[in-house]
Amino acid sequence: MKLVLATSNKGKVREIKALCEDYEVIPYSELIQEFEIIEDADTFKENALIKARAVFKALKEQLPSEYEDIIVLADDSGISVDVLDGAPGIYSARYGGKNANDKDNLYKLIEDIKEKGVESSPAHYTAAIAIVTKKGEYSVHGWMHGTALTKAIGDGGFGYDPMFIPLGYDKTLGELDDEVKKKLSHRSKALSLAKVIIENF
Ligand code: ITT
């Protein structure tokens, strides 16, 4: 079964491929020209659906002979920090500004937590996964709870991982082995639910 990922985030592609070894997983940019998708909804779920629908529609138009067997999967995710009332949440990708990269976002979040006068805060990651096929649309969620630090340690994972310690651990996702995140993450939890849907097609 061909699973086409509606994402241009290389960290997500790497993790989803590692979690879906039984499927042929292809980022949509390997099939058609990458295009801008405006994520203007106010929930993870709706933004994931916007991405999956946009890529499904583009594949249907540009690869009409292949789209019938394609499952499009999108991931919309982010980190929510308690001391910041849940920010950045759905704005995680652009927290450091319109053209911010992962490092800009990470250090902006560290500074904002520091400004609250604390060294750490409870936080959680959310992942909404949307699936769009010719048979319909589906969505599932997963969460990972832990602590957001005011420093970045390690270079594993991606995005905010160097400042996040998962519940039950004393090291950041930047330091921990990839296998730990693979077992615990918001993305792996959402994907295990997504697989139940996919396997029942
Ligand atoms: P696509 O929309 O193309 O999938 P994106 O990076 O814009 O890529 P999102 O809109 O879902 O994706 O934004 C997710 C943000 O949250 C982004 O800044 C990530 O770095 C961060 N994020 C999501 N999951 C993460 C994880 O597992 N570890 C670290 N950071 C994560």
Side-chain angles (χ1 to χ4, degrees):
M1 217 172 318
K2 209 179 262 182
L3 218 53
V4 177
L5 303 185
T7 180
S8 41
N9 182 313
K10 293 192 172 58
K12 290 184 187 178
V13 171
R14 194 178 61 241
E15 289 187 5
I16 295 170
K17 276 188 172 171
L19 289 161
C20 295
E21 282 172 338
D22 296 341
Y23 301 90
E24 188 187 355
V25 179
I26 315 167
Y28 84 97
S29 57
E30 288 181 16
L31 297 173
I32 57 175
Q33 180 76 38
E34 209 170 285
F35 58 96
E36 191 186 6
I37 304 173
I38 310 289
E39 300 167 39
D40 55 2
D42 52 15
T43 61
F44 290 110
K45 171 183 161 176
E46 285 303 325
N47 280 332
L49 280 164
I50 286 173
K51 291 187 269 197
R53 283 179 194 135
V55 169
F56 187 75
K57 182 167 177 278
L59 290 170
K60 189 172 173 177
E61 286 165 3
Q62 295 177 46
L63 297 176
S65 62
E66 280 185 50
Y67 95 93
E68 296 244 351
D69 297 321
I70 280 176
I71 295 172
V72 176
L73 189 148
D75 164 313
D76 199 68
S77 43
I79 189 168
S80 302
V81 179
D82 289 13
V83 79
L84 301 175
D85 298 327
I90 60 165
Y91 304 107
S92 295
R94 295 169 295 281
Y95 196 51
K98 197 165 170 273
N99 297 314
N101 61 27
D102 272 10
K103 284 272 172 285
D104 300 327
N105 291 332
L106 172 80
Y107 286 105
K108 158 95 172 122
L109 187 56
I110 285 177
E111 288 312 312
D112 285 1
I113 298 172
K114 272 189 194 162
E115 270 182 24
K116 294 287 172 186
V118 294
E119 285 179 6
S120 66
S121 167
H124 64 274
Y125 278 112
T126 304
I129 289 192
I131 295 166
V132 174
T133 74
K134 65 172 184 189
K135 293 185 183 149
E137 297 182 346
Y138 308 83
S139 61
V140 290
H141 288 80
W143 292 270
M144 171 169 51
H145 289 266
T147 304
L149 303 180
T150 47
K151 56 190 174 199
I153 316 173
D155 52 16
F158 68 96
Y160 299 96
D161 287 342
M163 64 179 292
F164 186 85
I165 298 184
L167 204 65
Y169 289 80
D170 58 5
K171 287 190 166 66
T172 69
L173 287 173
E175 300 171 278
L176 290 165
D177 194 87
D178 286 352
E179 287 304 308
V180 176
K181 187 173 181 192
K182 202 172 163 186
K183 224 170 23 191
L184 289 183
S185 83
H186 48 312
R187 184 160 297 107
S188 72
K189 289 175 188 152
L191 269 176
S192 58
L193 296 174
K195 283 182 201 169
V196 175
I197 296 171
I198 292 167
E199 276 152 22
N200 281 294
F201 278 145

